[in-house]
Amino acid sequence: MAGAENKSGRKTSDRDADTTRQRLDALGDKLAGAQARHHKAPALARPSQGAALGQALRLGVELVAGVAVGGFIGWALDRFFGTAPFLMVVFLGLGAAAGILNVVRTAKRMQAAAPSGKNLPSVLDDDDD
């Protein structure tokens, strides 16, 4: 339709334009408030990703070091006393137990130092699937 105008047939007045503008402004204010609440992140002192990787490596090294030191002590005592694999097996077990104990102790210490998370707001799942 080449000559048709895009008019609804309804006459517009200044009053309708003012009412529409007020409603749009109110809607804009509500939208800004909702976006501010949604994007507001809790302010926590969270360690960086590198610090978390460092803590994980520390736990792994403590476990391996306990086993290695126990195995070395057992090997050295076996060589000194000539008891072949007996003391090495015993000290490998003791080293593993000491390594596990160190890992548990360190993990408890890190857990006590971490923020509790009780005051965090609940996050709703926004996925549409």
Side-chain angles (χ1 to χ4, degrees), residues 32 44 82:
L44 291 177

Side-chain angles (χ1 to χ4, degrees), residues 59 62-63 66 96-107 109:
L59 293 176
E62 284 185 6
L63 181 62
I100 292 171
L101 185 64
N102 281 338
V103 167
V104 169
R105 202 176 321 155
T106 304
R109 193 176 318 126

Side-chain angles (χ1 to χ4, degrees), residues 24-47:
L24 284 174
D25 289 341
L27 180 62
D29 292 340
K30 287 180 184 179
L31 182 61
Q35 287 176 340
R37 284 191 308 271
H38 181 68
H39 293 297
K40 192 175 193 179
L44 291 177
R46 297 174 66 175

